């Protein structure tokens, strides 16, 4: 697209959401009810990473991995936190259950995630966990805020 807004073109025909650009700008992940897709920076599909409904794909800051939530049975209240290599070929399930949100640490070594159910009243009790791939998760806090920010 041009600076004045002209030249806009459709990037992909996938009915997706939650796009996530790789740190180098060469790949974009797009979540959808039909799975997780990877596209090059021209909109050409590179591969389908998951065939299940997904949301919140996020790249690690160094671009070596990405993570996403895979919805179990299509339910937004039951998901698996999946971490995979940058090619989407080697994956590991880090957590499952009522996953609300997650964030990579600035060093790309850890992920923090929140579990629980967000209520309409905003009085939810959520649990904040941290995990390194290949290690057990650690409960670090009880909170009512589903948003996660790492402070270096």
């Amino acid at each position: 697209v041009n600076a004045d807004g002209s030249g806009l073109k459709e990037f992909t025909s996938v009915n997706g959401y939650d796009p996530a650009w790789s740190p180098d700008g060469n790949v974009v992940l797009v979540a959808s009810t039909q799975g997780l897709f990877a596209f090059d920076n021209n909109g050409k599909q590179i591969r389908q990473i998951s065939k299940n409904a997904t949301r919140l794909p996020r790249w690690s800051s160094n671009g070596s991995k990405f993570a996403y939530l895979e919805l179990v049975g299509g339910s937004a209240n039951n998901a698996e936190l999946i971490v995979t290599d940058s090619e989407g070929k080697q994956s590991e399930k880090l957590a499952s259950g009522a996953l609300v949100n997650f964030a990579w640490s600035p060093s790309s070594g850890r992920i923090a995630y929140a579990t629980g159910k967000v209520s309409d009243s905003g009085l939810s009790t959520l649990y904040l966990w941290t995990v390194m791939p290949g290690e057990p998760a650690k409960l670090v806090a009880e909170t009512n805020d589903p948003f996660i920010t790492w402070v270096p």
Side-chain angles (χ1 to χ4, degrees):
V1 87
N2 300 318
D4 65 359
S6 65
L8 183 65
K9 66 177 186 172
E10 183 177 37
F11 185 76
T12 178
S13 61
V14 171
N15 186 13
Y17 42 83
D18 295 338
W21 285 95
S22 62
D24 65 8
N26 290 326
V27 178
V28 63
L29 301 171
V30 177
S32 79
T33 57
Q34 287 80 40
L36 182 65
F37 297 87
F39 296 90
D40 68 15
N41 55 14
N42 291 313
K44 179 181 175 199
Q45 183 176 330
I46 300 170
R47 65 191 152 281
Q48 184 170 2
I49 295 156
S50 171
K51 296 186 186 296
N52 298 317
T54 59
R55 64 185 179 103
L56 302 176
R58 296 190 177 141
W59 289 90
S60 62
S61 62
N62 65 12
S64 65
K65 298 177 183 176
F66 60 86
Y68 59 95
L69 296 181
E70 188 169 274
L71 307 183
V72 177
S75 170
N77 296 320
N78 191 9
E80 295 178 339
L81 175 58
I82 308 293
V83 173
T84 185
D85 67 332
S86 62
E87 298 294 316
K89 295 180 180 175
Q90 294 182 321
S91 62
E92 176 183 358
K93 178 174 70 171
L94 294 185
S96 61
L99 296 160
V100 178
N101 199 359
F102 71 93
W104 283 96
S105 67
S107 69
S108 301
R110 290 190 173 277
I111 292 181
Y113 62 93
T115 61
K117 186 175 180 184
V118 177
S119 71
D120 295 333
S121 69
L123 299 175
S124 308
T125 299
L126 304 173
Y127 302 94
L128 183 63
W129 303 78
T130 62
V131 66
M132 287 183 70
E135 293 185 9
K138 296 176 185 169
L139 179 64
V140 295
E142 188 175 297
T143 181
N144 62 0
D145 187 352
F147 301 103
I148 302 167
T149 302
W150 286 86
V151 178

